[in-house]
């Protein structure tokens, strides 16, 4: 086997670790580790899933026309600039496959989403990490890190796991300043949580070097079904369509996503509830001496005094049946990322952190 070798970079990939969902010996856990919608998907999407069982002997559409039309209508976009994928993860993968490769660089930020590095390495490209400023994307650091070899710049806005975001003027400055051979990818996994923010869609339409990715896994509560999409210049869509699998999305995925995006009232209700509970949670934690940056997403990043305290709190919470996310892998070892759950879960996690800070172990 010694002469059979994988492509360069592949053995540098550390396996992605998802949020925990079980605690040994605890039956009714509250899972706040994967930024899932605590209310689940829209009832209309659930009905669409059930109806789809009657079509499972048929191959799904290859052009995703109905879903793209629905997304375009709801978000006010152009349907022929949309590409749908198996989660936004697939769009990220396709972008790296298409535009990165051996000898090229892919920029991501210090506390950026793990999939950017993984997908860059999977394409045998070199991931380049740039520092953030106090857990906020720093446009100047990114521009300083750009070279002739840079092909892609990934930023999540709002970012995961920090929850912070930068304004449109900064994003425009970034799009303007990157080298001409480089694409800027705006990961909008949490864009729906920000009222009045289009995730960068208008910028995509105005420029030829900006791509936006979106997902049904967060606000739409369909993480288990794996559906995402991208919005890009037509030239980029043309490239990505050549490499994506023709039947990448199943009949069930397509039907659920279409129903979910069309149920605007449900999406709005989930967003408003998240906004209300996120503010409540951040304030309750602050009262217990645990600060959070202002989050614009469906989680907060709770900062502890040091790594030891964060780990002790995580262990204490697990003992109470609560699962949150350790983010040491994101260079934030003194923090815990806590998804905004339903009201009872928010109260429970805030109460337990209060007990922990008061000396419970
Ligand atoms: C959750 C998340 C995604 C979504 O990934 P899917 O593959 O669509 O489930 C993308 N980017 C970021 C930053 C995320 O946190």
């Amino acid at each position: 086997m010694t002469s059979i070798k994988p492509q360069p970079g592949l053995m540098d990939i550390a396996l992605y670790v998802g949020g925990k969902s079980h605690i040994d010996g605890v039956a009714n856990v509250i899972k706040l580790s994967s930024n899932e919608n605590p209310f689940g998907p829209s009832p209309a999407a659930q009905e669409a899933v059930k109806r789809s069982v009657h079509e499972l002997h048929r191959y799904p559409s290859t052009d995703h026309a109905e879903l793209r039309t629905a997304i375009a209508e709801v978000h006010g976009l152009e349907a022929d600039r949309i590409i749908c994928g198996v989660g936004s993860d697939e769009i990220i993968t396709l972008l790296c496959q298409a535009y990165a490769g051996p000898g090229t660089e892919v920029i991501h930020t210090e506390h950026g989403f793990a999939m950017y590095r993984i997908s860059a390495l999977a394409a045998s490209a070199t991931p380049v990490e740039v520092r953030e400023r106090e857990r906020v994307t720093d446009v100047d650091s990114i521009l300083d890190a750009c070279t002739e070899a840079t092909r892609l710049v990934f930023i999540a806005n709002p970012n995961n796991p920090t929850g912070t975001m930068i304004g449109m003027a900064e994003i425009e400055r970034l799009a303007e300043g990157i080298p001409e051979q480089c694409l800027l990818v705006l990961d909008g996994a949490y864009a729906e949580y920000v009222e009045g923010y289009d995730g960068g869609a208008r910028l995509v339409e105005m420029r030829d070097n900006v791509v936006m990715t979106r997902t049904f896994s967060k606000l739409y509560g369909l993480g288990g079904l794996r559906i995402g999409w991208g919005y890009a210049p037509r030239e980029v869509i043309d490239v990505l369509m050549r490499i994506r699998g023709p039947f990448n999305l199943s009949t069930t995925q397509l039907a659920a996503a279409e129903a979910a995006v069309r149920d605007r009232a449900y999406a709005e209700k989930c967003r408003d509830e998240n906004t209300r509970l996120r503010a409540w949670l951040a304030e309750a934690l602050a009262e217990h001496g645990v600060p959070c940056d202002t989050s614009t997403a469906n989680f907060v990043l709770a900062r502890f005094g040091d790594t030891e305290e964060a780990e002790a709190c995580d262990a204490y919470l697990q003992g109470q049946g609560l699962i949150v996310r350790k983010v040491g892998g994101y260079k934030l070892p003194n923090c815990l990322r806590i998804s905004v759950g339903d009201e009872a879960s928010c109260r429970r996690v805030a109460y337990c952190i209060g007990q922990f800070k008061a000396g419970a172990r």
Side-chain angles (χ1 to χ4, degrees):
M1 281 297 277
T2 46
S3 47
I4 299 175
K5 293 204 168 60
Q7 289 291 305
L10 300 193
M11 299 312 288
D12 297 332
I13 298 175
L15 287 187
Y16 183 87
V17 183
K20 263 172 83 100
S21 50
H22 301 284
I23 306 172
D24 287 344
V26 183
N28 294 314
V29 297
I30 297 177
K31 186 185 176 201
L32 301 173
S33 57
S34 296
N35 301 341
E36 295 151 343
N37 181 337
F39 310 109
S42 138
Q46 297 184 33
E47 279 308 312
V49 168
K50 288 179 197 158
R51 274 197 309 275
S52 74
V53 299
H54 303 294
E55 296 296 327
L56 294 184
H57 56 304
R58 306 279 183 211
Y59 268 89
S61 92
T62 60
D63 63 7
H64 309 151
E66 288 169 26
L67 176 56
R68 288 187 298 108
T69 300
I71 292 170
E73 284 176 13
V74 170
H75 292 282
L77 306 177
E78 296 169 40
D80 63 348
R81 289 168 175 256
I82 296 172
I83 178 169
C84 303
V86 182
S88 45
D89 283 356
E90 186 180 26
I91 310 298
I92 295 168
T93 302
L94 293 176
L95 285 164
C96 286
Q97 230 183 302
Y99 293 99
T104 70
E105 295 173 357
V106 174
I107 291 179
H108 64 87
T109 67
E110 190 178 356
H111 310 301
F113 188 43
M115 287 312 298
Y116 311 147
R117 177 185 159 81
I118 291 175
S119 299
L121 288 169
S124 298
T126 306
V128 174
E129 179 187 301
V130 306
R131 61 166 195 81
E132 297 185 19
R133 198 170 13 83
E134 295 283 313
R135 299 172 301 282
V136 180
T137 299
D138 182 14
V139 167
D140 291 311
S141 305
I142 296 173
L143 292 176
D144 285 347
C146 286
T147 70
E148 279 175 15
T150 310
R151 292 293 180 278
L152 292 163
V153 170
F154 283 101
I155 66 166
N157 203 46
N159 190 33
N160 169 22
T162 58
T164 61
M165 70 184 294
I166 59 173
M168 219 47 226
E170 279 296 273
I171 294 176
E172 281 172 29
R173 189 162 75 83
L174 181 56
E176 194 66 45
I178 56 175
E180 60 181 4
Q181 79 285 352
C182 182
L183 270 178
L184 170 63
V185 184
L186 301 173
D187 181 336
Y190 302 96
E192 286 90 352
Y193 288 104
V194 186
E195 203 168 350
Y197 175 55
D198 71 358
R202 289 288 91 77
L203 196 62
V204 171
E205 288 168 0
M206 279 159 47
R207 305 190 58 94
D208 61 6
N209 68 344
V210 180
V211 175
M212 170 181 79
T213 63
R214 302 284 283 262
T215 184
F216 283 90
S217 302
K218 305 289 158 57
L219 181 77
Y220 292 104
L222 288 168
L225 215 46
R226 316 301 305 124
I227 315 137
W229 53 282
Y231 197 54
R234 287 189 183 80
E235 297 72 33
V236 174
I237 294 290
D238 178 50
V239 172
L240 300 185
M241 291 297 272
R242 290 166 198 263
I243 57 172
R244 83 156 166 80
F247 303 109
N248 62 334
L249 289 180
S250 68
T251 307
T252 305
Q253 286 167 302
L254 291 165
E258 187 186 341
V261 75
R262 289 199 184 281
D263 192 347
R264 298 180 197 218
Y266 185 80
E268 199 171 314
K269 196 178 85 182
C270 294
R271 188 194 61 206
D272 290 349
E273 195 64 352
N274 177 74
T275 303
R276 181 177 77 83
L277 290 168
R278 181 182 64 206
W280 183 89
L281 180 60
E283 197 172 311
L285 296 183
E287 278 169 18
H288 295 312
V290 178
C292 304
D293 294 312
T294 301
S295 170
T296 51
N298 67 337
F299 55 86
V300 297
L301 184 69
R303 287 203 310 282
F304 292 83
D306 53 27
T307 303
E308 201 184 347
E309 192 189 22
E311 288 190 351
C313 185
D314 180 57
Y316 177 73
L317 292 176
Q318 283 196 40
Q320 303 300 310
L322 284 155
I323 307 180
V324 300
R325 184 68 158 260
K326 286 211 252 185
V327 282
Y330 287 94
K331 303 200 166 173
L332 295 162
N334 63 324
C335 299
L336 295 175
R337 192 192 70 192
I338 307 171
S339 304
V340 176
D342 60 12
E343 181 152 352
S345 307
C346 288
R347 287 186 184 278
R348 177 93 185 127
V349 76
Y351 172 79
C352 289
I353 289 176
Q355 292 292 101
F356 169 80
K357 290 295 273 190
R361 288 291 188 277

